[in-house]
């Protein structure tokens, strides 16, 4: 089969070509002579195109000379055997010129095609990976130099062979390799060849062949892709084979070394933990036995040192495990809750507003939040409040953990994510290592004396927002209760996508407003399991708008709207917030940082939503307001 985009093509022998070309030329000249004798000087001369096209295609360098020869023979026939006149002479000259022109054009096209094919041939020939190609009938049409070295089979002995000849060099018998599977039906590949993977249209498989390389064996990676014709149909396949023996052996050696080191480290951790248990017992006994303040203070210092050793053991155990389990989509709120379960917040207020957010992360994501929160909870930070939120940005998503403590001095930030002896920063190096496994980064952007602010920067492809409208599948999330007035009292939290219909029911008395999970974040207040108040933050291309603050009449006078708006502001405080407020509620929203502004300062999309106000804000009794970003 002739595949023009591959260089190695099966051609007739030179002898057969010359014989065929000579026969066609002689026949067409003879037929043309017969036509001239019969008075047909125009029609049969078209047959002369055939030998010219064949000669110019097969021998592009000689196409011009051959077309000149044929044109000259045609002119000679006309001169010798046709009655000459002016019209016939001009027609003959024109016909000869066309014959020469056709020969030139075909020669040029054939030459360019040959050069293109040679370039493709060189590309395949000098690929570092062993590569071969087959046509649709399974015949070998390419066999490069690297494959000759790998198999010991020269190209000349392999070209044009079919019946799975290519497999003999690898398996010792005839069988379809990946390229053969591509030109076949392919429907039974998953069933018969479960070890074969389909990676974006390329079949990939890795296998160990014990008889290769002088029976020492080789680990090989096979990958094959289809070759398509101009109509997009499979016209063949190309397959590359890469020797991955060194890589596999290195990975195996590293795995064994890692296992031995982990075993040794586990033994050391176990022995040290046993010694620490004895030490803790002696320290407790010392506290009970001695009453001297100096001795008690000394024992306290020993306990602090022992606690530090215990924490280092825990960190080393966690560091051993990271990267050992494949990453997956993790609900951020669940990861935070898992970290929260390991910590004591005492008098520190803690709110997490990451409902509906999932990230593609190592399973040890809870450890990241644990170490960040652990540092914020140190007494030296003097933090009384910790808030976790997220912010969508043009380059991805930022998960933000901030407190109102003393913050971190600028000169300490560069060394913050490395292992240190002092208390602040311990374990953050581990957190940075974990998030980096899936392309995330960890940085600190807070201001000294105003509080610490850690940002986990997630790339665009690494996060998802729970959205029933687009059927994004996310892991089940725990419904947390970030803001609770008291036990059994109203609870404020963000609604999940499947709870949006509940908000729509509440809004039936409020202009029939409805929520859209694709652009809205809705914050609600629950009392005894019933949704009693809502507030919405809608994302526009040019800003965030607050609206839909509503409490049904039967639930008013209980402060529910304050909880809903407070939840929204705290969760969305990383961006400027805009709204149109009813004028008599200006004081209410002022408590949450909203200030009146000129309508011209509103983002355009938000202004357009309120065309019902007819551009007369005073008459409509609504007031444009803005809350600048920040807690």
């Amino acid at each position: 089969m002739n595949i023009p985009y591959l260089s190695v093509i099966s051609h007739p022998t030179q002898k057969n070509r010359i014989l065929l070309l000579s026969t066609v030329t002689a026949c067409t000249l003879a037929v043309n002579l017969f036509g001239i004798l019969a008075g047909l000087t125009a029609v049969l001369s078209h047959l002369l195109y055939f030998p010219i096209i064949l000669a110019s295609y097969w021998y592009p360098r000689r196409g011009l000379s051959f077309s000149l020869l044929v044109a000259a023979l045609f002119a000679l026939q006309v001169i010798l055997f046709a009655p000459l006149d002016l019209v016939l002479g001009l027609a003959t000259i024109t016909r000869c010129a066309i014959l020469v022109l056709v020969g030139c054009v075909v020669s040029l096209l054939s030459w360019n095609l040959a050069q293109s094919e040679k370039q493709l041939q060189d590309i395949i020939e000098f690929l570092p990976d062993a590569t071969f190609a087959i046509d649709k009938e399974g015949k070998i049409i390419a066999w490069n130099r690297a494959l000759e070295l790998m198999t010991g089979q020269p190209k000349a002995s392999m070209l044009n062979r079919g019946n799975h000849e290519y497999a003999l060099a690898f398996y010792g018998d005839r069988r379809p390799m990946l390229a053969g599977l591509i030109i076949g039906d392919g429907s039974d590949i998953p069933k018969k060849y479960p070890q074969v993977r389909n990676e974006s249209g390329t079949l990939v498989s890795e296998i160990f062949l014990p008889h290769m390389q002088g029976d020492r064996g080789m680990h090989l990676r096979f990958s094959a892709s289809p070759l398509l014709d101009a109509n997009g149909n499979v016209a063949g396949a190309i397959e590359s084979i890469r020797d991955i023996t060194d890589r596999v052996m290195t990975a195996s050696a590293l795995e064994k070394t890692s296992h031995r080191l982990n075993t040794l480290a586990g033994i050391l951790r176990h022995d040290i933990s046993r010694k620490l248990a004895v030490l803790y017992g002696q320290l407790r006994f010392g506290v009970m036995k001695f009453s001297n303040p100096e001795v008690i203070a000394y024992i306290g210092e020993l306990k602090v040192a022992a606690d530090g050793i215990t924490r280092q053991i825990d960190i080393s155990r966690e560091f051993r495990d990271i990267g050992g389990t494949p990453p997956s989509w993790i609900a951020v709120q669940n990861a935070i809750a898992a970290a929260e379960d390991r910590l004591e917040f005492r008098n520190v207020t803690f709110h997490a507003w990451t409902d509906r957010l999932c990230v593609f992360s190592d399973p040890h994501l809870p450890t990241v939040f644990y170490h960040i929160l652990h540092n914020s909870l140190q007494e030296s930070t003097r933090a009384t409040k910790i808030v976790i939120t997220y912010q969508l940005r043009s380059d991805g998503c930022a998960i933000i953990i901030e407190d109102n403590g003393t913050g971190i001095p600028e000169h300490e930030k560069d060394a913050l994510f490395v292992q240190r002896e002092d208390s602040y920063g311990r374990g953050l190096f581990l957190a940075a290592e974990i998030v980096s496994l899936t392309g995330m980064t960890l940085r600190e952007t807070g201001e000294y004396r105003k509080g610490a602010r850690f940002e986990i920067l997630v790339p665009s492809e690494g996060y998802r927002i729970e959205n029933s409208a687009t059927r994004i599948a996310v892991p089940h999330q725990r419904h947390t209760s970030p803001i609770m007035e008291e036990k059994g009292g109203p609870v404020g939290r963000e609604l999940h996508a499947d709870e949006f219909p509940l908000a729509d029911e509440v809004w039936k008395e409020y202009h029939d407003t409805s929520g859209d999970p694709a652009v809205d974040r809705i914050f609600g207040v629950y009392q005894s399991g019933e949704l009693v108040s809502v507030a919405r933050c809608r994302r526009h291309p040019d800003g965030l708008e607050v609206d839909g603050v509503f409490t049904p009449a039967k639930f008013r006078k209980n402060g529910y709207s304050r909880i809903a708006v407070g939840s929204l502001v705290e969760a969305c405080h990383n961006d400027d917030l805009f709204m149109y407020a009813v004028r008599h509620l200006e004081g209410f929203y002022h408590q949450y940082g909203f200030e009146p502004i000129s309508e011209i300062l509103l983002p355009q999309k938000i202004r357009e939503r309120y065309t019902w106000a007819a551009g007369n804000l005073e008459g409509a009794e609504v007031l444009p307001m803005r809350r600048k970003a920040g807690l």
Side-chain angles (χ1 to χ4, degrees):
M1 178 180 179
N2 186 13
I3 301 178
Y5 46 82
L6 283 176
S7 59
V8 184
I9 303 176
S10 177
H11 289 299
T13 63
Q14 293 295 325
K15 180 179 179 180
N16 289 337
R17 282 186 176 181
I18 294 174
L19 179 61
L20 177 61
L21 184 59
S22 301
T23 302
V24 172
T25 304
C27 290
T28 54
L29 286 172
V31 171
N32 187 67
L33 178 59
F34 174 78
I36 292 174
L37 294 175
L40 302 174
T41 59
V43 177
L44 296 179
S45 62
H46 292 292
L47 296 175
L48 297 175
Y49 292 133
F50 289 103
I52 290 177
I53 291 174
L54 286 176
S56 299
Y57 177 73
W58 284 339
Y59 308 103
R61 293 184 178 181
R62 299 178 176 85
L64 176 60
S65 58
F66 184 83
S67 60
L68 286 171
L69 175 62
V70 172
L73 292 175
F74 168 68
L76 183 61
Q77 287 179 335
V78 173
I79 293 172
L80 295 177
F81 300 104
L84 289 178
D85 57 40
L86 181 60
V87 175
L88 180 59
L90 292 175
T92 301
I93 293 173
T94 302
R95 182 68 61 193
C96 290
I98 293 176
L99 291 173
V100 173
L101 180 62
V102 169
C104 291
V105 171
V106 174
S107 295
L108 179 61
L109 295 177
S110 180
W111 173 261
N112 290 336
L113 178 61
Q115 293 300 309
S116 177
E117 290 178 345
K118 187 177 186 306
Q119 290 177 355
L120 290 175
Q121 179 184 13
D122 291 342
I123 291 174
I124 294 177
E125 185 67 19
F126 295 103
L127 283 175
D129 290 338
T131 304
F132 72 92
I134 58 175
D135 61 19
K136 197 171 183 179
E137 281 71 42
K139 293 183 179 180
I140 300 172
I141 56 176
W143 189 272
N144 76 348
R145 186 174 302 176
L147 194 53
E148 288 181 321
L149 296 175
M150 177 180 287
T151 63
Q153 299 293 331
K155 178 196 301 184
S157 66
M158 298 300 295
L159 292 180
N160 300 318
R161 294 201 174 191
N163 193 25
H164 309 306
E165 183 81 15
Y166 47 77
L168 292 175
F170 295 97
Y171 299 101
D173 59 6
R174 300 178 185 274
R175 65 173 72 175
M177 292 174 60
L178 297 185
L181 298 179
I182 288 177
I183 65 173
D185 180 18
S187 59
D188 59 348
I189 291 178
K191 183 185 299 183
K192 292 185 177 180
Y193 303 91
Q195 74 279 12
V196 176
R197 308 186 304 275
N198 190 324
E199 299 180 357
S200 301
T202 299
L203 296 184
V204 178
S205 178
E206 295 178 1
I207 192 172
F208 176 72
L209 298 178
H211 67 276
M212 297 287 292
Q213 208 173 22
D215 292 333
R216 288 182 296 172
M218 295 177 69
H219 291 272
L220 299 177
R221 184 181 190 272
F222 297 85
S223 59
S225 299
L227 296 172
L228 307 179
D229 59 21
N231 297 320
N233 300 317
V234 175
I238 185 168
E239 182 166 351
S240 295
I241 303 97
R242 177 174 297 178
D243 182 2
I244 58 171
T245 303
D246 291 345
R247 189 189 76 183
V248 172
M249 292 177 63
T250 301
S252 177
L254 289 174
E255 184 178 354
K256 291 178 181 178
T257 302
S258 177
H259 176 72
R260 291 172 181 172
L261 290 175
N262 286 334
T263 301
L264 177 60
I267 294 173
L268 292 175
R269 281 193 298 269
H270 180 264
D271 290 345
I272 294 174
S273 296
R274 291 179 59 188
K275 300 297 183 183
L276 281 173
V278 175
L279 177 59
Y280 277 122
Q282 294 297 325
L283 292 175
R284 286 193 295 270
F285 178 75
V287 170
M288 292 185 292
K289 182 176 181 180
F290 299 103
S291 58
N292 188 317
E294 292 183 0
V295 175
I296 297 298
Y298 177 71
I299 292 175
E301 292 178 0
L302 290 177
K303 185 178 183 303
V304 170
D307 290 341
I309 296 173
T310 301
R311 178 160 165 73
Q312 292 300 323
I313 291 175
D314 292 338
I315 289 176
S316 68
R317 182 181 295 110
E318 292 169 343
F319 196 84
R320 174 201 65 185
D321 295 334
I322 65 172
T325 305
S328 60
W329 288 102
I330 297 176
V332 175
Q333 197 77 356
N334 289 356
I336 294 172
E340 182 182 1
D341 292 342
R342 298 171 56 188
L343 296 164
E344 293 184 9
F345 286 83
R346 296 183 292 275
N347 296 323
V348 177
T349 303
F350 175 61
H351 296 157
W353 301 101
T354 55
D355 297 87
R356 299 177 59 199
L357 176 65
C358 287
V359 296
F360 190 71
S361 171
D362 183 270
H364 291 84
L365 184 62
T367 301
V368 175
F369 291 108
Y370 169 78
H371 287 295
I372 295 175
L373 293 173
H374 182 273
N375 282 283
S376 292
L377 290 171
Q378 298 298 305
E379 292 184 4
S380 59
T381 67
R382 302 176 186 174
T384 60
K385 184 176 183 179
I386 303 174
V387 177
I388 302 181
T389 57
Y390 68 90
Q391 181 186 30
L392 302 185
R393 300 175 179 175
S394 59
D395 57 349
C397 174
I399 303 173
I400 302 167
I401 307 99
E402 52 192 322
D403 62 49
N404 63 348
T406 56
I408 303 171
E410 287 295 328
H411 67 274
E412 293 185 10
K413 292 185 178 182
D414 291 340
L416 194 59
F417 301 107
V418 296
Q419 174 68 324
R420 299 169 57 190
E421 294 296 332
D422 51 324
S423 60
Y424 212 106
R426 186 183 299 165
L428 292 178
F429 80 99
L430 176 61
E433 288 291 322
I434 293 173
V435 298
S436 68
L437 293 175
T438 50
M440 296 185 284
T441 56
L442 177 61
R443 67 182 185 183
E444 205 285 332
T445 60
E447 294 185 40
Y448 183 50
R449 301 189 187 281
K450 290 187 178 181
R453 177 185 169 98
F454 291 91
E455 294 185 355
I456 301 174
L457 304 179
V458 187
S460 298
E461 68 278 7
Y463 78 92
R464 293 175 177 174
I465 304 296
E466 178 193 39
N467 183 352
S468 60
T470 55
R471 301 185 181 275
I472 292 179
V474 297
H476 175 71
Q477 300 218 34
R478 290 166 58 172
H479 287 281
T480 58
S481 302
I483 294 183
M484 180 181 292
E485 294 298 292
E486 58 184 357
K487 189 174 182 180
V491 176
R493 64 172 175 83
E494 183 174 357
L495 272 62
H496 288 249
D498 57 4
E499 296 178 296
F500 274 42
L502 300 178
D504 295 345
E505 286 293 322
V506 173
W507 276 325
K508 279 188 175 180
E509 302 176 29
Y510 184 78
H511 312 298
D512 280 331
T513 302
S514 61
D516 180 358
V519 294
D520 291 340
R521 296 182 69 181
I522 300 177
F523 299 84
V525 180
Y526 282 84
Q527 176 65 59
S528 301
E530 183 178 4
L531 186 62
V532 297
S533 183
V534 290
R536 177 174 68 177
C537 180
R538 167 158 288 190
R539 175 171 294 277
H540 296 279
D542 51 359
L544 299 185
E545 176 192 8
V546 177
D547 73 340
V549 180
F550 182 72
T551 302
K554 63 179 179 179
F555 298 119
R556 292 174 185 170
K557 306 297 183 181
N558 292 298
Y560 296 151
S561 291
R562 294 181 181 275
I563 300 175
V565 175
S567 300
L568 183 152
V569 167
E570 189 172 82
C572 304
H573 73 270
N574 297 294
D575 297 281
D576 286 355
L577 302 177
F578 299 90
M579 70 179 306
Y580 277 88
V582 179
R583 186 168 293 277
H584 73 269
L585 292 178
E586 176 185 352
F588 171 78
Y589 290 112
H590 180 74
Q591 300 176 62
Y592 300 96
F594 286 91
E595 298 290 344
I597 59 172
S598 170
E599 183 186 8
I600 195 65
L601 296 178
L602 288 170
Q604 181 179 353
K605 292 296 182 181
I606 297 177
R607 290 203 309 270
E608 291 175 355
R609 289 196 68 225
Y610 284 84
T611 55
W612 55 268
N616 186 353
L617 297 181
E618 295 293 336
E621 290 297 326
V622 291
L623 181 69
M625 303 187 76
R626 176 181 64 189
R627 183 188 188 278
K628 292 186 177 181
L631 273 176

